[in-house]
Amino acid sequence: MRAPDAGAPGAQHDVARDHPEHAAILLAAGASTRLGHAKQLVEIDGEPLLRRVARALLATAPRELVIVLGHDADRMRDALMGLPLRTIVADDHASGLSASLRAGVAALDPHCAGALIALTDQPALDATHLLVLCDAWRAAPEHAVASAYADVLGVPALLPRAWFAEIAKLHGDVGARELLRAREGDVVAIAAPALERDLDTPTDLR
């Protein structure tokens, strides 16, 4: 259905639709058991990955940035000191990725039209790619926009508010990737081959 023209009698200009605002969620609750120490605090160019990704997300000018913490939350907060963001703790983070994702989405400002979701284990992630995701989403805010690498759709991804109810139903070690796969027809894919490399094991770190 076509929306009324802005100049038509009785029509109202829908600013939220024309200029949708996103929030950002950084999932950083994991214990990094395969790596043996907190991947969030691994340094690249002298900066912890957690802070590096948080700064990249802030560069997209989100309505807010929510960091979901769990394991060793106090040390994570120290690494984020001075940045304009909000931290929450997912007490059940050990039950799987879905717990952190649900907590992050539930904590968001109700006025945001979408959520830009990222992890801390992609060393190649930068603000340039995140800004491309945001631009693509604003062009079609009813769709999700996801990073495409290794023949999958994954995070970072920007999910529209209409998907939040489905996120609330996720359980176990299931994250945005499974939801993106299930709704592939509603996803705009942005190629990001460099993001295939993640940081999970000592071998990855080397």
Side-chain angles (χ1 to χ4, degrees), residues 1 4 10 12 20-21 29 36-37 45 61 74 89 94 106 115 128 134-135 154 157 160 174 178 193-194 203-204:
M1 179 182 295
Q12 294 182 343
E21 288 188 286
H37 54 91
D45 297 330
D74 289 340
V89 174
T128 299
C134 292
D135 287 345
V174 174
E178 286 73 16
T203 300
D204 297 333

Side-chain angles (χ1 to χ4, degrees), residues 36-120:
H37 54 91
K39 69 176 71 175
Q40 301 94 319
L41 301 180
V42 169
E43 293 192 354
I44 294 181
D45 297 330
E47 182 177 38
L49 267 173
L50 176 62
R51 188 179 183 90
R52 181 185 178 94
V53 178
R55 285 197 307 101
L57 288 167
L58 288 169
T60 69
R63 188 177 181 93
E64 65 173 342
L65 169 57
V66 174
I67 312 286
V68 183
L69 303 177
H71 183 77
D72 216 352
D74 289 340
R75 288 179 68 205
M76 303 304 166
R77 289 192 189 95
D78 288 344
L80 295 165
M81 194 72 68
L83 295 179
L85 50 82
R86 181 159 57 97
T87 62
I88 63 171
V89 174
D91 293 327
D92 57 346
H93 67 91
S95 67
L97 184 59
S98 63
S100 296
L101 184 55
R102 290 196 313 269
V105 168
L108 290 182
D109 183 319
H111 295 98
C112 72
L116 177 58
I117 299 165
L119 303 174
T120 60

